[in-house]
Amino acid sequence: MRAALGICGVALLAGCGSFSGFQPATPEGYDGPTVNVADQSTLQGDSLAHVFEMTAVDGRRLLSTSIATLQAHQGRGFSAAPVALSNELPPRPAVVRLQAVTQYAAPLLAMRGHGCRVSGDLAFTPEAGKAYRVAGRIAPDACEAWIEDRATRQPVTGKVSGPGTGP
């Protein structure tokens, strides 16, 4: 069942690659200060990446790291090519959608692997002068994502959490 979900997730992401409805994280017309929030994409062997990303801000859908990573995988066979994007946000309260997902280099690999995909909305108030990153954990017991201060590595949001990858 998990493998089928992983394949569906890959197919959905592939379809999103050509969607033109993405928006910037900074609202239209905003020209004030911003803070950086970086996604993470870490290689787990040759053909699997763990992605921790921000996919929306205040309802605006962002071009995501998982889509960029999927596009980078195309034509590489069973070799993963992780990509990590970042976004600039105004230093004010926002609702962000975070996601933790496993990405295989090819759909065939997802059929035999254990996948994770969890997403959810969290309140986040970035502070001027700081930098942040989307962090997370993908493990047999849980899949989680949160935002942390890049300098201190301390969480600054709650967590989105879901089932793990293992039996």
Side-chain angles (χ1 to χ4, degrees):
M1 179 68 175
R2 276 181 206 252
L5 289 174
I7 291 170
C8 290
V10 168
L12 283 172
L13 288 173
C16 292
S18 61
F19 181 71
S20 62
F22 298 114
Q23 298 174 300
T26 305
E28 187 176 328
Y30 181 81
D31 65 355
T34 61
V35 298
N36 184 267
V37 181
D39 294 344
Q40 283 191 79
S41 183
T42 58
L43 200 54
Q44 306 291 310
D46 292 334
S47 60
L48 172 69
H50 287 175
V51 178
F52 307 102
E53 62 187 340
M54 183 169 51
T55 60
V57 176
D58 293 332
R60 292 182 306 280
R61 187 169 178 212
L62 308 176
L63 177 60
S64 67
T65 289
S66 58
I67 291 171
T69 298
L70 182 66
Q71 290 173 337
H73 287 178
Q74 292 178 353
R76 294 177 56 98
F78 295 118
S79 178
V83 173
L85 304 178
S86 66
N87 291 283
E88 296 295 322
L89 296 178
R92 63 183 188 201
V95 175
V96 297
R97 177 163 295 139
L98 301 183
Q99 177 170 272
V101 63
T102 53
Q103 276 197 304
Y104 289 89
L108 179 64
L109 296 173
M111 289 175 51
R112 64 173 217 234
H114 298 284
C116 160
R117 183 181 180 280
V118 62
S119 67
D121 294 339
L122 296 170
F124 174 47
T125 304
E127 294 180 41
K130 292 195 174 190
Y132 301 93
R133 73 178 188 158
V134 183
R137 181 173 78 96
I138 295 177
D141 63 325
C143 293
E144 304 172 316
W146 62 88
I147 295 177
E148 65 185 22
D149 181 297
R150 201 177 306 169
T152 67
R153 297 204 173 193
Q154 295 301 305
V156 296
T157 66
K159 293 179 181 178
V160 296
S161 191
T165 59

